Each structure stands twice: as C-alpha cells, then as structure tokens.
Amino acid sequence: QVQLVESGGTLVQPGGSLRLSCSASGISLKILHVGWFRQAPGKERERVSCISSWDGTDGTTYYADSMKDRFTISRDNAKNTVYLQMNSLKPEDTAVYYCATDTESWCGTPINPGLWGQGTQVTVSS
C-alpha cells in the first residue's frame, strides 16, 4: 500500500524552529517530485516547497516567496524521507502541513500532485 506519513508538527513559540518529516511506504521518494503544502483555518491550501527527483544530487528545490529564506526542503534517500526544516517561525505559519507526491513530474509547474499524506499540525504561538 502506497502511503505518505507526516510527523514533527507541534506547538512552537514564534522565532522557533521545527523539522517536519515525510516518510513513504510502497513508493520510492528518491525517484519522485515531493513537496509540502499547508492549509490554515479558513484559508486555501498553499504550496510551501517542493523538490524534484534525485538526479545525482538532491534535486531542484522550489519555495513560496514568503518562505524561501526560512524553510529548507531536503531528502534522505536511505530513509525514504523528505524533510522540511522551518526556522524563524511566525504565527502566520500556523497550519496543517501536508506532504504530497505523484508519479508524474510536477514540482516547478502549476500541476498539483495526486498522493497526499494526512497532515501534521504546526502551531506557532506564545
């Protein structure tokens, strides 16, 4: 069974850091484009970051403009896991964060992936 599982979300104070993990079963993230999205209450889902498939290096990364200086996406192929390191967190980063992928290439395009995890809650509050 193909499955994505996110973890690492929790309550953190403004200015703090978190690392979210996206682990996969039944599918190799190494050969896929993988990304993170988020959805805050009452708001539309937005794309946070994505990383293209392994090409001998980590792959090409993309970030939403408001996050490119604070968030870093990376992969650990041995663990079949993609991470999102989030620094300098702000209350407006509060949202459910979802990991997503697809068998088709989509990172860097307007196409949305078709396979999603259940999400992990990140709350930034003092």
Side-chain angles (χ1 to χ4, degrees), residues 6-48:
E6 304 94 334
S7 62
T10 189
L11 172 65
V12 62
Q13 292 188 343
S17 298
L18 275 180
R19 189 178 76 161
L20 304 183
S21 300
C22 172
S23 299
S25 58
I27 197 168
S28 173
L29 297 182
K30 178 179 179 178
I31 63 172
L32 303 174
H33 292 197
V34 185
W36 290 92
F37 294 73
R38 70 184 186 185
Q39 187 164 22
K43 295 187 177 181
E44 294 187 353
R45 184 181 65 193
E46 64 174 330
R47 187 177 297 196
V48 173

Side-chain angles (χ1 to χ4, degrees), residues 31-94:
I31 63 172
L32 303 174
H33 292 197
V34 185
W36 290 92
F37 294 73
R38 70 184 186 185
Q39 187 164 22
K43 295 187 177 181
E44 294 187 353
R45 184 181 65 193
E46 64 174 330
R47 187 177 297 196
V48 173
S49 178
C50 61
I51 186 168
S52 63
S53 54
W54 175 263
D55 60 359
T57 67
D58 276 346
T60 303
T61 57
Y62 299 86
Y63 298 92
D65 287 342
S66 64
M67 302 161 211
K68 61 176 58 177
D69 295 328
R70 301 185 295 124
F71 292 5
T72 303
I73 191 169
S74 62
R75 64 167 81 239
D76 185 331
N77 293 331
K79 295 182 179 180
N80 203 24
T81 298
V82 170
Y83 302 102
L84 182 69
Q85 176 68 42
M86 306 187 294
N87 299 326
S88 302
L89 284 163
K90 306 174 182 179
E92 51 263 43
D93 294 319
T94 295

